[in-house]
Amino acid sequence: MPGAVAAAVLAVACTPQGGTAPVVDGVPVALDPPDGWEAQVAEDEEMQESDPVLYTAAPADGGDAGLYLQAFEGQVGTIEAGIGIARAAQEVRWDDYSAQEPEDIAVEGAEAARRIDYTYTCSEEGGECAGAAFVLHRDRDMYLVRVSWRDGQEPEGGVQELQESLALL
């Protein structure tokens, strides 16, 4: 996958796409990746890291975009704390990161959920990149689903379609 968002997507073992079942065994997140994207689940040892990426998806045609899922189970007391985690990671990682105010969204099974739309300067080749982070909270568990793309390469069906597929089971 080309540079700008390749760091967000790991090459790991393949798995079927989400929807009504969890995309990762033991993690209650269901989602449908964008049409034409290939999904992958992290290896067991990668899931034991302190800040693990559990699931990724990327365009099968090699487009410069990516999606990933992280879980912070038993670690996040409020949705506001989850928003802080989501924003801090991006501010450090990307040049010229700018985010809109978090928007309340409805996600089945979540006590609270927010969507944060953002832009940043793409690495390597430059240009503009954009994306959306979905912060899902239940009990003290937070799940972060992030999708990013190079300007003009938004996922087929748009981010709204991904948002509508999200659920905590």
Side-chain angles (χ1 to χ4, degrees), residues 44-147:
D44 285 341
E45 58 272 3
E46 292 170 335
M47 289 188 195
Q48 304 307 315
E49 296 175 6
S50 62
D51 191 15
V53 172
L54 306 176
Y55 171 90
T56 64
D61 67 4
D64 200 1
L67 175 150
Y68 67 88
L69 163 66
Q70 291 178 284
F72 301 86
E73 294 177 319
Q75 301 177 41
V76 183
T78 66
I79 188 72
E80 290 77 16
I83 291 167
I85 291 168
R87 284 185 159 171
Q90 299 317 102
E91 288 172 0
V92 170
R93 189 172 304 158
W94 291 329
D95 292 333
D96 302 318
Y97 173 78
S98 176
Q100 295 180 6
E101 286 300 312
E103 173 189 344
D104 287 336
I105 60 172
V107 172
E108 182 182 337
E111 291 172 0
R114 304 289 189 277
R115 173 178 166 172
I116 306 168
D117 291 328
Y118 55 85
T119 59
Y120 60 98
T121 300
C122 303
S123 60
E124 299 174 22
E125 298 90 21
E128 291 296 313
C129 284
F134 300 96
V135 181
L136 315 177
H137 188 264
R138 180 171 66 197
D139 300 322
R140 292 190 51 79
D141 300 336
M142 186 203 54
Y143 304 94
L144 176 61
V145 176
R146 190 181 310 277
V147 59

Side-chain angles (χ1 to χ4, degrees), residues 17-36:
Q17 293 187 356
T20 59
V23 293
V24 178
D25 287 340
V27 178
V29 177
L31 64 85
D32 288 323
D35 289 341

